[in-house]
């Protein structure tokens, strides 16, 4: 029971950190909002209209997007690391994000055949992203059954990512200018570009995925022992694998469809969570991944607002700067990586 | 004799990877409560395949497996997991699971969707950890344990699963001799005390002969079943293992190395005792053939202190250590034979 109270303490600490980062992120931006202004905006109706409008139209949706994307990507990463039994797995490194990108590119660039009204359809974009992600995920999974070497699998992911990138390039060069413009706008998408309308689609989809992941906790724990032991414990591997893939793709692809690729969060956060809670139990790790993922992406977003330049820095670059060193640490620390 | 309860049996079971070319077929096997069955056989004879097939980890080619007279195909995956627990050779590659958390996994088929443990589950987990003598390490991380301890954790997991049947695939591979004996004795006691049916495949033939209640000897020609002594007396082990470098000494139930003989006859004289036995072993190891009569002879003069006399047609000499004796013999043969 001491373990439970220790976990409760850790969770409260993480929750405080999360709230702190959330408030900081809301305050930071091209116009700095002081904590006092934020407080009065929340508590009184007489607040400055300008600040209210900044908060409502820009800061809040951006912060919420960071929370959902961070939590979602971290959980997707955790699912993939367990499914592939590979500490280096994650939606970005294994090419799932690229697959989602390719799906959207095919839709926007390749589909001169589609009626015009379908092109801008956000649901179609999500579907394309999910299908693209699923295709890459299944391909990587098939290859992963042929090689048990964790580093090879990583290379496979990078190759699929490269193929997807190359195909997108080909599509870009043969498509008409109008479609190209539409795609470029999408591909530059950042968490700041997500509107309330988009959030109202993205949030439920990701939340469904997160709940699904939590429901799979017990089976994911059994998977930690390897496929054969899991079957021995009564896990139906076919169904479990299918569900994990589906949920991972739903989460990762939905997020990618709205924010563009965000690197390394999915891969790095599960390691931080396991390090803090000193366990691999998904019933502990998945909720902590959500808190930590949201916190880390909020932190990344805070860094993009640092007053080095007049423009916000790309979040993908910041998340790489923070996430990649964590992965390097994992590689160096993990002596059994070649098993 | 008390009647034994059959927990698992098979009818016309065929196993392997290719329907046209089954590894083994028409297997009629039977596992009884309270019995430890040793599955032995030469490398590549299909020990693991049989265990994996019986455990439902790989599809069977033909026939039926029954658990408590119910065909296994009629059981749900959870019901199956409540009947059979497995310990495999797969290495567990997880950074941060404690011994207790791993053993708790054994409760998987018995808990609700969230895997919440009730007090009964905790009890069984504690008991399982006690049974494998790991209570003092229950909160240590699995990957910090020694190989023998890791194997005991997996056995505890199987015990916590609370099944009437346990299959173990090579549970003593990679273990040193003391750990191997420890695990084998533990399993034997578990079978007797808990009335579980335990099937384990092993390379430790001599130990399996001593500890198993029954043996399944898997060969190219099929499977031989019986108590160890019958299997030996019928010469099945000799036939199954056709080694050139060693032979099965069915007088003592051990494998012995076949030494390259020099065909130098030597006579060994003395009362049967420990010193004589080891003198014989040393001579055999060096390739001398021990004969009833020979030109050269070694006589045990006394055992306290140990003293040997080497007699040859030219001279005789007395030695106080085996090493000196063997050197003396070699020297004579080099000069005069």
């Amino acid at each position: 029971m001491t373990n439970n109270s220790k976990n409760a303490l850790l969770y409260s600490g993480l929750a405080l950190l999360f709230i702190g980062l959330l408030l900081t992120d809301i305050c930071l931006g091209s116009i700095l909002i002081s904590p006092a202004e934020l407080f009065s905006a929340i508590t009184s109706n007489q607040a400055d209209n300008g600040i209210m409008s900044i908060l409502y139209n820009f800061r809040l949706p951006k912060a919420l997007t960071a929370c959902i994307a961070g939590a979602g990507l971290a959980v997707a990463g955790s699912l993939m690391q367990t499914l592939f039994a590979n500490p280096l797995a994650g939606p970005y490194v294994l090419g799932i994000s690229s697959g989602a990108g390719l799906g959207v590119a095919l839709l926007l660039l390749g589909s001169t055949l589609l009626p015009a009204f379908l092109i801008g359809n956000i649901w179609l974009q999500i579907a394309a992203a999910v299908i693209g992600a699923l295709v890459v995920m299944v391909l990587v999974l098939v290859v992963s059954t042929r090689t048990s070497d964790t580093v090879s699998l990583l290379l496979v992911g990078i190759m699929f990512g490269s193929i997807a990138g190359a195909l997108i390039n080909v599509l870009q060069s043969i498509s008409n200018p109008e479609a190209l413009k539409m795609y470029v706008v999408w591909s530059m998408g950042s968490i700041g570009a997500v509107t309330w309308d988009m959030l109202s689609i993205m949030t439920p989809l990701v939340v469904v995925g997160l709940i699904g992941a939590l429901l799979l906790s017990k089976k994911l724990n059994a998977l930690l022992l390897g496929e054969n032991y899991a079957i021995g414990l009564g896990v139906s591997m076919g169904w479990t694998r299918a569900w994990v893939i589906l949920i991972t793709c739903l989460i990762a692809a939905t997020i990618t469809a709205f924010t563009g690729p965000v690197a390394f969060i999915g891969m790095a956060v599960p390691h931080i969570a396991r390090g803090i809670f000193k366990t691999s139990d998904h019933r502990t790790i998945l909720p902590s991944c959500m808190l930590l993922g949201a916190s880390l992406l909020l932190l990344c977003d805070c860094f993009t607002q640092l007053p080095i330049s007049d423009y916000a820095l790309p979040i993908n670059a910041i998340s790489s700067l923070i996430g990649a060193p964590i992965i390097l640490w994992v590689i160096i620390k993990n002596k059994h990586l070649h098993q | 004799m008390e009647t034994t309860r059959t927990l698992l049996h098979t009818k016309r079971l065929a196993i392997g990877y290719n329907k046209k070319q089954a590894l083994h077929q028409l297997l009629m096997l039977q596992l009884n409560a309270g019995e430890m069955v040793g599955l032995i056989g030469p490398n590549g004879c299909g020990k693991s395949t049989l265990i994996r097939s019986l455990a439902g980890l790989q599809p069977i080619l033909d026939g039926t497996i029954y658990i408590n007279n119910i065909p296994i195909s009629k059981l749900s995956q959870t019901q199956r997991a409540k009947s059979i627990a497995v310990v495999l050779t797969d290495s567990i590659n997880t950074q941060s699971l404690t011994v207790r958390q791993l053993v708790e996994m054994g409760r998987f088929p018995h808990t609700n969707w969230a895997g919440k443990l009730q007090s009964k589950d905790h009890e069984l987990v504690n008991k399982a950890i006690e049974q494998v003598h790991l209570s003092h390490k229950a909160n240590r991380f699995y990957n910090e344990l020694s190989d023998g301890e890791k194997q005991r954790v997996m056995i505890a997991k199987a015990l916590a699963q609370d099944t009437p049947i346990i299959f173990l695939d090579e549970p003593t591979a990679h273990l040193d001799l003391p750990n191997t004996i420890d695990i084998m004795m533990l399993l034997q006691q578990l079978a007797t005390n808990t009335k579980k049916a335990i099937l384990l495949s092993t390379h430790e033939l001599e130990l399996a002969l001593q500890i198993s209640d029954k043996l399944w000897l898997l060969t190219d020609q099929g499977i031989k079943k019986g108590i160890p002594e019958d299997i030996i007396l019928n010469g099945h082990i000799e036939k199954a293992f056709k080694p050139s470098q060693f032979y099965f000494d069915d007088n003592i139930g051990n494998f012995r190395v076949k030494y390259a003989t020099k065909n130098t006859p030597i006579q060994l004289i003395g009362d049967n005792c420990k010193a004589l036995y080891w003198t014989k072993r040393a001579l055999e190891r060096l390739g001398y053939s021990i004969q009833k009569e020979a030109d050269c002879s070694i006589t045990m003069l006394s055992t306290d202190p140990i003293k040997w006399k080497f007699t040859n047609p030219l001279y005789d000499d007395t030695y106080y250590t085996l090493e000196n004796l063997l050197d003396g013999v070699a020297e004579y043969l080099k000069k005069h034979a």
Side-chain angles (χ1 to χ4, degrees):
Chain A
M1 296 309 107
T2 50
N3 231 349
N4 278 351
S5 54
K6 204 179 80 190
N7 279 357
L9 203 69
L10 287 171
Y11 273 125
S12 339
L14 286 184
L16 280 178
L17 177 78
F18 166 70
I19 292 167
L21 283 167
L22 181 66
L23 294 178
T24 314
D25 187 55
I26 290 173
C27 291
L28 286 179
S30 50
I31 294 169
L32 204 66
I33 299 173
S34 73
E37 285 169 312
L38 180 65
F39 184 74
S40 73
I42 295 169
T43 50
S44 71
N45 306 331
Q46 312 292 315
D48 186 329
N49 264 339
I51 285 178
M52 272 310 262
S53 132
I54 290 173
L55 279 179
Y56 182 78
N57 290 328
F58 298 103
R59 301 290 169 82
L60 266 182
K62 192 184 65 168
L64 277 178
T65 306
C67 293
I68 288 162
L73 289 173
V75 167
S78 181
L79 294 185
M80 292 181 75
Q81 286 173 10
T82 301
L83 181 69
F84 287 101
N86 189 329
L88 297 181
Y92 186 74
V93 279
L94 287 190
I96 308 304
S97 305
S98 318
L102 179 61
V104 175
L106 277 173
L107 176 76
L108 295 183
L109 303 177
S111 61
T112 39
L113 299 170
L114 279 177
F117 73 93
L118 276 179
I119 303 284
N121 189 321
I122 193 73
W123 288 99
L124 216 57
Q125 264 184 38
I126 297 171
V130 171
I131 290 167
L134 268 173
V135 168
V136 173
M137 181 103 171
V138 168
L139 283 175
V140 173
L141 196 75
V142 167
V143 177
S144 80
T145 58
R146 302 281 162 109
T147 168
S148 55
D149 183 43
T150 51
V151 177
S152 315
L153 182 65
L154 210 62
L155 289 174
V156 169
I158 292 169
M159 288 309 120
F160 279 122
S162 306
I163 292 170
L167 287 177
I168 292 172
N169 276 342
V170 170
L171 283 172
Q172 281 180 335
S173 48
I174 59 172
S175 61
N176 66 55
E178 210 147 301
L180 186 62
K181 189 179 153 213
M182 203 155 12
Y183 176 74
V184 169
V185 168
W186 174 82
S187 70
M188 288 200 314
S190 66
I191 62 169
V194 179
T195 62
W196 281 113
D197 280 349
M198 293 171 164
L199 260 175
S200 69
I201 296 168
M202 173 174 153
T203 310
L205 286 177
V206 174
V207 167
V208 164
L210 292 180
I211 292 171
L214 287 174
L215 290 176
L216 281 175
S217 292
K218 182 186 169 186
K219 293 201 164 88
L220 289 166
N221 281 348
L223 281 189
L224 288 175
L225 303 186
E227 198 171 305
N228 284 323
Y229 272 122
I231 297 172
L233 288 172
V235 175
S236 157
M237 274 312 294
W239 281 108
T240 307
R241 198 183 282 123
W243 274 113
V244 173
I245 292 174
L246 203 68
I247 288 172
T248 308
C249 288
L250 175 70
I251 296 176
T254 306
I255 292 168
T256 308
F258 287 106
T259 67
V262 178
F264 292 112
I265 295 287
M267 190 175 172
V269 172
H271 289 283
I272 305 174
R274 283 191 290 264
I276 291 176
F277 286 86
K278 299 254 177 297
T279 183
S280 304
D281 188 338
H282 289 83
R283 288 169 295 177
T284 308
I285 290 303
L286 291 182
S288 59
C289 270
M290 294 178 197
L291 268 177
L292 275 165
S295 303
L296 193 63
L297 205 54
L298 282 171
L299 182 72
C300 289
D301 191 46
C302 291
F303 278 120
T304 65
Q305 307 297 341
L306 280 185
I308 320 173
S309 77
D310 291 341
Y311 306 101
L313 305 170
I315 187 127
N316 193 22
I318 302 291
S319 69
S320 298
L321 281 176
I322 293 178
I326 296 174
I327 300 312
L328 279 176
W329 169 72
V330 171
I331 292 173
I332 291 164
K333 197 194 72 160
N334 197 331
K335 280 164 276 179
H336 306 294
L337 218 57
H338 287 279
Q339 274 177 359
Chain B
M1 220 180 113
E2 66 177 306
T3 49
T4 46
R5 205 160 67 85
T6 301
L7 295 176
L8 177 144
H9 69 282
T10 67
K11 274 189 190 154
R12 305 173 64 83
L13 176 68
I15 58 167
Y17 295 89
N18 184 343
K19 201 136 204 177
K20 287 185 193 114
Q21 217 180 342
L23 213 47
H24 292 280
Q25 50 191 352
L26 302 176
L27 295 177
M28 308 289 251
L29 305 168
Q30 185 176 332
L31 276 177
N32 297 329
E35 262 180 14
M36 176 162 123
V37 176
L39 175 59
I40 55 174
N43 269 334
C45 66
K47 293 193 289 284
S48 288
T49 310
L50 177 58
I51 286 205
R52 291 170 50 84
S53 303
L54 288 176
L57 296 179
Q58 85 177 54
I60 58 174
L61 300 181
D62 197 14
T64 321
I65 303 169
Y66 297 87
I67 295 175
N68 283 326
N69 293 319
I70 303 166
I72 202 165
S73 51
K74 293 264 190 319
L75 298 177
S76 74
Q77 209 132 7
T78 303
Q79 284 171 319
R80 203 183 292 191
K82 284 179 180 174
S83 308
I84 301 175
V86 287
V87 175
L88 304 164
T89 46
D90 305 21
S91 66
I92 292 181
N93 198 355
T94 175
Q95 299 293 317
S96 33
L97 277 180
T98 63
V99 170
R100 181 179 300 282
Q101 284 172 329
L102 241 160
V103 177
E104 281 173 358
M105 297 270 197
R107 298 307 297 159
F108 187 97
H110 304 273
T111 53
N112 65 2
W113 65 270
K116 176 124 183 75
L117 297 184
Q118 309 295 329
S119 59
K120 186 198 167 211
D121 300 310
H122 284 296
E123 243 169 63
L124 281 165
V125 167
N126 283 333
K127 196 172 142 209
I129 296 175
E130 258 168 49
Q131 277 173 318
V132 299
H133 317 301
L134 278 176
S135 300
H136 58 296
K137 293 198 169 166
N139 295 319
R140 293 275 296 275
F141 284 114
Y142 172 81
N143 57 353
E144 292 171 356
L145 302 181
S146 72
D147 285 345
E149 287 167 338
K150 282 181 180 170
Q151 199 56 263
R152 295 219 296 261
V153 174
M154 295 322 290
I155 292 173
K157 188 227 69 166
L159 289 173
Q161 204 169 331
D162 198 25
T163 57
I165 304 167
I166 299 181
F167 292 151
L168 303 99
D169 190 13
E170 297 284 353
T172 59
H174 318 299
L175 297 188
D176 58 6
L177 192 60
N179 272 309
T180 300
I181 296 175
D182 183 54
I183 297 278
M184 295 282 240
M185 295 297 291
L186 173 72
L187 291 170
Q188 209 271 336
Q189 285 159 10
L190 285 173
T192 314
N193 298 338
T194 62
K195 293 289 166 211
K196 287 179 194 295
I198 295 181
L199 171 69
L200 69 114
S201 67
T202 181
H203 280 118
E204 301 290 337
L205 194 59
E206 290 165 21
L207 216 51
L209 290 174
Q210 292 180 55
I211 293 181
S212 312
D213 297 308
K214 295 247 178 78
L215 283 184
W216 290 357
L217 172 64
L218 217 48
T219 67
D220 303 340
Q221 280 82 43
I223 192 163
K224 298 276 184 286
K225 295 162 288 181
I227 65 166
E229 293 75 10
D230 273 338
I231 298 271
I232 296 170
L233 284 175
N234 293 335
H236 291 318
I237 294 195
E238 277 258 45
K239 264 179 258 161
F241 297 85
K242 297 179 225 84
S244 52
Q245 303 294 319
F246 56 92
Y247 66 102
F248 185 72
D249 186 341
D250 51 15
N251 287 317
I252 53 174
N254 279 355
F255 278 100
R256 301 289 297 273
V257 176
K258 250 189 219 166
Y259 299 111
T261 55
K262 293 175 185 148
N263 286 325
T264 315
I266 213 160
Q267 192 186 349
L268 188 58
I269 306 160
D271 292 332
N272 220 347
C273 66
K274 193 158 60 169
L276 189 80
Y277 173 74
W278 288 106
T279 311
K280 183 167 167 257
R281 285 280 296 261
L283 289 168
E284 281 174 350
R285 176 165 61 84
L286 293 176
Y288 298 105
S289 84
I290 292 162
Q291 305 282 335
K292 292 231 167 68
E293 272 186 39
D295 290 346
C296 301
S297 68
I298 291 166
T299 314
M300 294 286 323
L301 288 179
S302 70
T303 49
D304 191 26
I306 304 176
K307 215 157 92 177
W308 293 267
K309 191 172 79 175
F310 172 52
T311 314
N312 59 56
L314 300 177
Y315 60 88
D316 56 61
D317 216 340
T318 307
Y319 301 92
Y320 295 89
T321 68
L322 258 179
E323 185 173 358
N324 289 342
L325 170 72
L326 296 171
D327 285 346
V329 174
E331 201 179 333
Y332 166 78
L333 290 173
K334 202 168 153 194
K335 279 183 191 160
H336 304 285

